[in-house]
Amino acid sequence: MIIYSTTLNQSYQKSNKNIPGHLNDENEYLVSYFSKSLNTFIYTGQYPELDVNSARVTHEDLDPELWIKFRIKSIPLVDEEALNEKSRMERKDVHRRTKERKIGDVVTKVIEWRKLYNSGEEFKGKKYSLDTAAKAVGMSKKSLDDYLLQIRNARKFGFNFNEHKDDKIGILRAFNKKFKIY
């Protein structure tokens, strides 16, 4: 990082000639000036593409001198595009579940879950909550809530559970999607 100071007494031409000589033309630099009113450096652009006219420096920031900071633009250590492509390819190969649940199994688990909750049986001296009943069944409450909603909607639209008990839960979801009311 290079901080370059210039006073108002020095003549300032609107060209890159006033940029300090120890900047390397091979690198790109991030250019900032110090704002006295905000007490911080304000980013104005990149050198060598910096447009001197676009820098909005106030008069109070120029009094008595202007501090300009040149920082070498960092070069990424990793090729971001290649990394993103690799992670996209890996995600295509990874599946969250290796085995989708069957409709008959889901119905059985939901019935067991609601029976535990509604039965009044005690777990550690307290009635089962939906969460503790879900843990006792061995599934998450969120999944069981979703399955219950799918089952209720399918029953309302006339789904034949006995005929499809060995089918995957995706069949039930597709059935409900056909009858979805917007």
Side-chain angles (χ1 to χ4, degrees):
M1 179 180 359
I2 301 164
I3 297 181
Y4 177 67
S5 173
T6 182
T7 61
L8 289 176
N9 297 335
Q10 293 176 341
S11 61
Y12 182 77
Q13 301 168 5
K14 291 186 176 178
S15 71
N16 290 338
K17 291 179 184 171
N18 287 345
I19 304 297
H22 47 278
L23 290 181
N24 186 338
D25 285 337
E26 296 170 8
N27 295 321
E28 289 184 21
Y29 294 89
L30 303 176
V31 182
S32 306
Y33 75 91
F34 187 77
S35 169
K36 291 182 180 80
S37 58
L38 299 174
N39 200 26
T40 188
F41 280 92
I42 307 295
Y43 172 76
T44 56
Q46 293 184 20
Y47 172 78
E49 293 90 25
L50 179 64
D51 178 15
V52 178
N53 297 320
S54 68
R56 308 244 187 260
V57 182
T58 63
H59 287 287
E60 72 180 37
D61 289 335
L62 290 172
D63 190 33
E65 63 182 359
L66 176 65
W67 290 4
I68 303 171
K69 178 169 67 171
F70 296 90
R71 194 181 70 178
I72 295 177
K73 185 177 178 183
S74 63
I75 301 166
L77 299 176
V78 220
D79 183 8
E80 295 285 332
E81 248 179 68
L83 188 63
N84 289 339
E85 184 65 30
K86 184 180 177 187
S87 66
R88 250 193 315 265
M89 296 299 283
E90 287 174 355
R91 275 183 284 188
K92 287 181 182 176
D93 297 339
V94 176
H95 299 285
R96 293 181 70 189
R97 287 188 53 82
T98 56
K99 182 180 171 187
E100 192 177 356
R101 292 186 173 108
K102 293 183 179 179
I103 293 172
D105 297 338
V106 167
V107 170
T108 305
K109 292 281 189 180
V110 169
I111 290 170
E112 184 183 349
W113 174 56
R114 296 304 288 190
K115 275 186 181 176
L116 280 174
Y117 173 69
N118 292 328
S119 69
E121 288 184 34
E122 290 189 4
F123 173 74
K124 293 184 180 179
K126 294 182 180 179
K127 187 180 169 186
Y128 274 101
S129 68
L130 289 173
D131 283 327
T132 54
K135 285 179 186 170
V137 171
M139 291 176 70
S140 71
K141 178 186 174 289
K142 183 179 177 182
S143 295
L144 289 166
D145 278 335
D146 177 55
Y147 292 146
L148 180 60
L149 179 67
Q150 296 294 330
I151 291 167
R152 285 180 177 168
N153 287 336
R155 188 174 62 195
K156 183 168 53 173
F157 295 124
F159 185 78
N160 188 344
F161 287 95
N162 288 329
E163 186 179 312
H164 295 285
K165 67 181 177 184
D166 292 326
D167 291 338
K168 307 287 184 188
I169 197 73
I171 301 292
L172 184 66
R173 291 183 191 284
F175 179 83
N176 284 336
K177 197 172 185 179
K178 276 193 257 181
F179 292 98
K180 190 172 184 180
I181 301 170
Y182 295 99

